[in-house]
Every structure is written in C-alpha cells, then in structure tokens.
C-alpha cells in the first residue's frame, strides 16, 4: 500500500509553523513584487486574509491599522452575506 498522491502543491498543505519557516528561509517578503502583500500571501500559501495578516506581522511586516480594519470588515461582510 503506497501513499495517496497529493495533488496540491506542498506550500498549500503547510501548517502555520511550516509556512513561517518557509517564508523566512526563502525570504518571501523581500522577493514579493506585487502591490498587495496580504492578497499575495493568501494566494501563495492558500490561507484566509486574517491568517495572512497575522502571519505577515509575525514575519515582521508592518501593516497599518486601517488596512487591518478594512480586511476584517471584508471578511465579516462576506460571512454575513452567506
């Protein structure tokens, strides 16, 4: 009996500890060239915006309180719409 094949990229199956370690080791913050770092982190590691916000702060990125409030409002509005 072999292992079940994994179809998602490894970075999308990582837990928080692994994501933080990977982002530090590959210097992900410095290499990112997009406009919205939170959106990019969400897409690259397949996490929600609140998780991305928390982890980016853990990695040392400075994110304004206004941006955080905007993200939290978007997530709450999306949950309310469901």
């Amino acid at each position: 009996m072999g292992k079940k094949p994994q179809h998602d990229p490894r970075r999308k199956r990582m837990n928080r500890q692994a994501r933080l370690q990977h982002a530090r080791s590959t210097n992900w913050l410095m290499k990112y060239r997009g406009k919205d770092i939170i959106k990019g982190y969400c897409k690259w590691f397949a996490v929600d915006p609140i998780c991305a916000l928390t982890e980016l702060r853990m990695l040392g990125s400075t994110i304004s309180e206004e941006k955080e409030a905007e993200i939290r409002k978007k997530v709450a509005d999306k949950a309310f719409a469901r």
Side-chain angles (χ1 to χ4, degrees), residues 2-37:
K3 285 186 174 181
K4 182 179 174 184
Q6 297 291 333
H7 299 289
D8 293 331
R10 182 172 178 264
R11 69 178 190 268
K12 293 188 177 188
R13 292 180 278 132
M14 293 180 178
N15 61 16
R16 176 173 281 175
Q17 181 183 3
R19 283 191 302 268
L20 292 173
Q21 184 179 8
H22 178 74
R24 281 188 191 107
S25 68
T26 60
N27 211 0
W28 190 88
L29 287 174
M30 295 297 185
K31 291 180 182 177
Y32 184 73
R33 297 290 177 226
K35 293 180 182 179
D36 190 359
I37 195 161

Side-chain angles (χ1 to χ4, degrees), residues 33-71:
R33 297 290 177 226
K35 293 180 182 179
D36 190 359
I37 195 161
I38 296 170
K39 185 177 178 181
Y41 194 90
C42 289
K43 289 178 87 173
W44 185 255
F45 288 108
V47 295
D48 67 324
I50 303 294
C51 180
L53 178 74
T54 305
E55 291 180 11
L56 285 167
R57 283 199 172 145
M58 290 174 148
L59 291 168
S61 180
T62 55
I63 298 167
S64 69
E65 295 295 325
E66 294 83 25
K67 184 72 173 174
E68 179 181 1
E70 177 186 330
I71 289 170

